[in-house]
Amino acid sequence: MKTLITALVVATTFAVSASAQDMAYVVNDDDYTIEKSLTGVPGDAGAGQAAFVGRKKGNCLACHAVEQLKDSQLFHGEVGPDLSDVGNSYSAEELRLRIVDYKVINDDVIMPAFFRSTGLSNVGKKFKDKTILSAQEVEDIIAYLLTLKS
Ligand code: HEC
């Protein structure tokens, strides 16, 4: 019950950014990656941190704890795994799929698909054909996550 409520709260705080036209990516089902950058523009780790913590952006701290942010951010969730060492665990390509659409890997996951606008059920008009994060925000967050090594 607790996790369900968290998801609802999180879902209502997400802002709307990119439109469906921006979406084009290829999922590699063999090793669960998206190889190609969504934008071709290298991610910016500083912008990525802002999008990661931003409540109307990724709001990733709602479900994940990050040791490196304990001094600057009060609330860290524990629904998902601690991400303090995620830069050692995953490649950019693996992170890209997990942020774009984790449901490809685990259909039951509570983590939202941050860059998928098709096949969503129960979305309001405002969210129809929109993704939660823009393509560049996904790339920026990947760059930020790759800096997290503990
Ligand atoms: C509503 C809760 C929720 C939110 C919000 C959320 N996640 Fe997750 N995340 C999860 C859960 C649960 C898992 C574990 C999934 C599994 O093991 O199948 C996970 C797994 C992950 C993993 C893999 C970690 C590992 O050790 O295997 C990464 C990376 C990740 N999330 C990044 C993010 C980023 C970046 C954001 C923000 C853009 C985010 N998550 C937002 C719940 C969330």
Side-chain angles (χ1 to χ4, degrees):
M1 195 40 133
K2 186 174 158 221
T3 49
L4 180 63
I5 289 164
T6 309
L8 289 176
V9 170
V10 168
T12 55
T13 61
F14 286 130
V16 167
S17 41
S19 67
Q21 286 84 8
D22 300 331
M23 308 215 351
Y25 57 84
V26 179
V27 173
N28 186 342
D29 284 333
D30 297 336
D31 58 359
Y32 290 131
T33 57
I34 296 174
E35 221 165 285
K36 239 178 106 206
S37 161
L38 300 176
T39 61
V41 178
D44 177 287
Q49 180 177 326
F52 183 94
V53 301
R55 290 191 194 284
K56 294 187 169 169
K57 295 290 183 180
N59 200 15
C60 313
L61 282 180
C63 298
H64 294 282
V66 175
E67 197 55 46
Q68 293 88 332
L69 294 175
K70 283 271 155 80
D71 288 340
S72 60
Q73 300 289 327
L74 272 182
F75 301 105
H76 295 238
E78 42 188 46
V79 176
D82 187 303
L83 297 181
S84 309
D85 195 41
V86 76
N88 279 323
S89 316
Y90 291 106
S91 67
E93 294 76 16
E94 290 169 327
L95 291 171
R96 190 170 291 114
L97 174 60
R98 282 155 179 81
I99 299 169
V100 164
D101 189 359
Y102 211 124
K103 296 180 200 311
V104 171
I105 301 168
N106 173 1
D107 199 34
D108 293 332
V109 80
I110 194 175
M111 178 163 157
F114 285 94
F115 195 71
R116 183 190 63 175
S117 68
T118 54
L120 302 174
S121 52
N122 277 326
V123 283
K125 233 200 206 129
K126 203 175 131 202
F127 289 94
K128 203 169 169 290
D129 295 332
K130 306 277 174 154
T131 61
I132 299 168
L133 294 173
S134 72
Q136 195 55 45
E137 283 166 346
V138 172
E139 293 302 321
D140 292 344
I141 289 176
I142 293 168
Y144 171 61
L145 293 180
L146 289 173
T147 69
L148 295 178
K149 299 181 175 181
S150 61

